[in-house]
Amino acid sequence: MTTTASEIGHKIDELLLCLDKDIEHVRESLSLLNELRRLVIKRDDASLGKLLESIQTESDVYKSQELKRQAIRRELAAALGCGPEKVTLSKLESVLTEQEKARVTQRKAKLKGLIKELKKEHLSTALLLSECARFNRLLLKSILNFGKTGTVYYDSNGSTKQQSDTAFVNLQF
């Protein structure tokens, strides 16, 4: 069975719709990262729980979107006579008409910009969470170290000795 240009054009239209959904997903991910950072800073545990549930739901929905895109990619690969791993937006740009090429190039550029921004926001979120964890470790270490100040003294022989007195913290739960 030979594949006509109209069948390829139809698959390209499906792919472009899929790419539009991917663009919306990346935008939503950016929004969720901003919200996550805001809630961590505010220490709003209830809202964080709700946010994490919505992220899980969004992840499940996106899995079906990913499967659909991969199916379209396999169909395009069969139509073009190559393996699915060879079907990229750049490869498609080289075999499409000028109008289709412009539409694919526009989506590709938009996705590249959004992905670059997503990487930056992801790094910012990871750094914030890393600093929160470091601060919590230091806080717990200072509280749970049984009040030892950790100061080292030298006796008259020149050997080291830990401080014998301790600093106490009065905690009430």
Side-chain angles (χ1 to χ4, degrees), residues 4-162:
T4 65
S6 66
E7 290 174 355
I8 292 176
H10 179 69
K11 290 298 170 193
I12 293 298
D13 289 339
E14 287 181 35
L15 179 65
L16 290 174
L17 288 173
C18 203
L19 290 176
D20 287 338
K21 289 181 182 177
D22 288 341
I23 288 168
E24 286 306 311
H25 175 72
V26 173
R27 285 184 178 146
E28 179 67 23
S29 296
L30 285 167
S31 173
L32 289 173
L33 281 174
N34 286 329
E35 183 70 8
L36 177 67
R37 283 194 309 270
R38 186 182 70 77
L39 293 174
V40 165
I41 291 169
K42 281 184 153 187
R43 298 178 53 191
D44 188 350
D45 293 335
S47 295
L48 271 171
K50 290 177 187 174
L51 179 67
L52 292 178
E53 287 175 12
S54 71
I55 289 172
Q56 182 62 40
T57 303
E58 180 76 23
S59 175
D60 293 341
V61 169
Y62 186 70
K63 285 178 188 176
S64 65
Q65 174 68 19
E66 177 71 26
L67 293 173
K68 183 177 179 180
R69 185 171 60 273
Q70 292 304 325
I72 294 169
R73 190 176 181 195
R74 284 190 300 274
E75 292 168 2
L76 279 169
L80 296 172
C82 62
E85 66 280 349
K86 301 274 187 191
V87 177
T88 63
L89 293 179
S90 297
K91 166 104 173 149
L92 288 175
E93 287 174 327
S94 67
V95 297
L96 296 175
T97 64
E98 287 302 315
Q99 182 184 8
E100 290 172 332
K101 180 180 178 179
R103 292 170 44 203
V104 169
T105 302
Q106 177 193 19
R107 301 312 194 291
K108 181 179 169 183
K110 195 177 288 187
L111 274 170
K112 275 186 174 182
L114 286 171
I115 294 299
K116 184 178 179 180
E117 187 178 345
L118 183 65
K119 285 180 181 180
K120 184 182 93 174
E121 295 297 324
H122 179 269
L123 179 61
S124 296
T125 304
L127 289 173
L128 173 68
L129 295 175
S130 173
E131 282 300 303
C132 287
R134 184 183 69 81
F135 181 75
N136 286 339
R137 270 193 313 275
L138 287 172
L139 185 62
L140 285 173
K141 183 180 176 185
S142 68
I143 291 172
L144 299 177
N145 202 11
F146 300 111
K148 295 185 180 176
T149 60
T151 305
V152 177
Y153 291 100
Y154 293 93
D155 63 12
S156 61
N157 295 337
S159 58
T160 60
K161 175 175 145 182
Q162 284 287 96

